[in-house]
Amino acid sequence: MENAVRDWRGRSYLPGPVPADRTRMFWLAWGAMAAISPLQYGYAALLAKEATGLTLLAVWIACQAAGALPALHLVRRGRLGVRTSLAAGAALSFAGLAAAAFPLSAPGAFVGYALLGGLGAGLVYGVCGEVVSSWYPERPAARVGLITGAFGYGAVPLLVWAGIAPAATSTAFMVAAVVALAVIGTAARHLRLPPALWWPDDVDPRSHALDAARLRTTPEAARQFGPAQALRTRTLPALALILTFAGAVSVFDVVVVAGTGSWGALAVLVALNGASRSVAMRCSELFGRRRVLAAVLTALATGQVLLATALATTPAGLPGAGEPVAAGGPLLWLGAVAAGLGGGAFYPLLASLVREFFGAERAGEIHAVVYSAKALAGAGAVALALLGLSAPVTALAVAAALAALPALAIPRLRIPGLPATIPL
């Protein structure tokens, strides 16, 4: 490679001009991620209120998590184009949202929402993350954190609509389906990947690699790992386990707060679930990924305790147990705030830790392996929600433990490949 430069670790870069539409590509990816948000958070809040709805949600989460890995692998190998992937994601997401507009007992609910909608969301999530991280290699974690935030708070308009006019929930999902088709379809026309090893020519890659302040808080991997090599370490299963526990609690919280009937608290929970992701990434650049991840999971565990206290002091509990919790209950709102702050921020933090632990070259594929653990998180969320139908306080206590245990283990995570004698 004639124009390639190498940093002190031997990593190659091909500096090139920044395309004029890089910012537009970022915002199109952001819009596509927001458009698929109603498939998870909108459905969990509005429709997952009984065993049938919870089962469909679990299958959707499994398909969404599993669909991201093969799509990303094919796109990185050049066997599947970005345009083709997102066009398919647009059509499948439309089918999933349209199916959610019909009764859960309808024959198409399982195939349309759970299978097709899950696979479509997985395509969009995986491809948009790969495109944005490739076009912003100097700050991939921060930029991906912003677009995954849209996946969190993108459902807020749908929730507000349904809260104001509950009878129009089906119409709201149909409108969301049309919006998803248009927004993701537009993204499919314009998003593309940069050349291999591309780096913006307005940032010196060698100086960036030697930035002492950045390396103190976000150190680089000891070497570049492949997916198979990463699977043989203890670190990757640990990251997957953290995502499983925290992901289960995050989805469960949406079901719990929706069951209280407080649409304001629910909107705050979902909005913070998305907005906290970019804030956490900024904080992690100042204080380190692991410290911020531990703080995020602590906030998530604290949210469970506050929500459990709110339900324990209210004779209502969840749907079917009486009147909903009062919308102005301070403990409910505090619990929603804490759970929202911790319920989404761990996703981009784990993605950035994958890059920090295993290197940038195959980070997308390795993160997809970690992200596939979300399928187990979906099953865990459904198990907690089913328990919550009869014993909500007990379910929240279990959720608090699931969030707290990884927070205690995070300080022991270390970069694979470094000698064990190097201090953490």
Side-chain angles (χ1 to χ4, degrees):
M1 295 178 286
E2 294 182 3
N3 299 322
V5 298
R6 293 181 180 273
D7 62 19
W8 65 283
R9 288 184 178 271
R11 183 181 172 189
S12 298
Y13 305 84
L14 281 175
V18 177
D21 61 344
R22 183 171 74 155
T23 300
R24 182 176 65 167
M25 285 195 288
F26 168 81
W27 286 111
L28 285 172
W30 178 91
M33 294 287 267
I36 61 174
S37 177
L39 281 164
Q40 175 167 301
Y41 294 102
Y43 184 93
L46 301 175
L47 302 178
K49 298 179 180 179
E50 56 185 29
T52 301
L54 290 170
T55 300
L56 290 176
L57 177 62
V59 176
W60 182 92
I61 292 174
C63 291
Q64 188 255 341
L69 178 58
L72 188 59
H73 180 78
L74 293 174
V75 168
R76 286 180 64 90
R77 294 290 182 275
R79 298 174 183 175
L80 186 65
V82 170
R83 174 174 293 187
T84 303
S85 301
L86 289 179
L92 294 173
S93 298
F94 172 84
L97 287 166
F102 294 95
L104 300 182
S105 57
F110 179 80
V111 174
Y113 169 74
L115 295 182
L116 299 182
L119 291 173
L123 280 171
V124 175
Y125 193 101
V127 173
C128 286
E130 177 69 10
V131 169
V132 170
S133 64
S134 298
W135 280 115
Y136 289 89
E138 73 280 20
R139 290 191 68 193
R143 288 291 177 167
V144 173
L146 286 170
I147 66 165
T148 60
F151 180 59
Y153 53 68
V156 170
L158 177 73
L159 298 180
V160 172
W161 182 345
I164 295 173
T169 298
S170 295
T171 303
F173 273 103
M174 283 303 303
V175 171
V178 174
V179 170
L181 184 64
V183 172
I184 302 171
T186 302
R189 294 186 59 186
H190 298 283
L191 294 187
R192 63 187 187 278
L193 288 172
L197 304 180
W198 178 84
W199 185 270
D201 59 5
D202 56 356
V203 178
D204 182 6
R206 289 166 292 194
S207 298
H208 180 81
L210 285 170
D211 186 348
R214 182 181 64 86
L215 291 174
R216 275 196 299 270
T217 55
T218 57
E220 295 188 354
R223 61 185 178 86
Q224 301 296 319
F225 287 76
Q229 295 169 318
L231 282 169
R232 290 195 291 269
T233 68
R234 295 180 180 180
T235 304
L236 189 141
L239 296 177
L241 195 62
I242 292 170
L243 189 145
T244 300
F245 286 0
V249 176
S250 176
V251 176
F252 168 63
D253 284 341
V254 176
V255 179
V256 168
V257 177
T260 67
S262 176
W263 292 102
L266 178 62
V268 168
L269 170 70
V270 174
L272 289 177
N273 184 293
S276 64
R277 304 184 190 206
S278 57
V279 175
M281 293 311 302
R282 176 56 182 159
C283 290
S284 72
E285 293 175 351
L286 298 174
F287 306 109
R289 315 283 193 207
R290 281 168 282 191
R291 290 179 180 176
V292 175
L293 179 58
V296 162
L297 294 179
T298 301
L300 184 60
T302 302
Q304 311 315 299
V305 175
L306 291 170
L307 290 173
T309 305
L311 294 182
T313 55
T314 305
L318 292 182
E323 296 298 323
V325 176
L331 286 177
L332 173 65
W333 283 79
L334 287 174
V337 169
L341 290 173
F346 63 88
Y347 282 113
L349 286 169
L350 288 173
S352 61
L353 279 175
V354 166
R355 186 178 296 269
E356 183 177 306
F357 289 155
F358 303 110
E361 290 183 3
R362 307 288 294 277
E365 293 175 80
I366 297 172
H367 174 246
V369 174
V370 175
Y371 190 76
S372 64
K374 189 180 176 183
L376 296 176
V382 169
L384 287 171
L386 290 174
L387 175 61
L389 293 176
S390 58
V393 175
T394 302
L396 285 163
V398 174
L402 291 178
L405 287 175
L408 297 174
I410 284 170
R412 303 301 303 174
L413 289 175
R414 67 164 58 247
I415 296 176
L418 291 180
T421 54
I422 293 181
L424 293 174

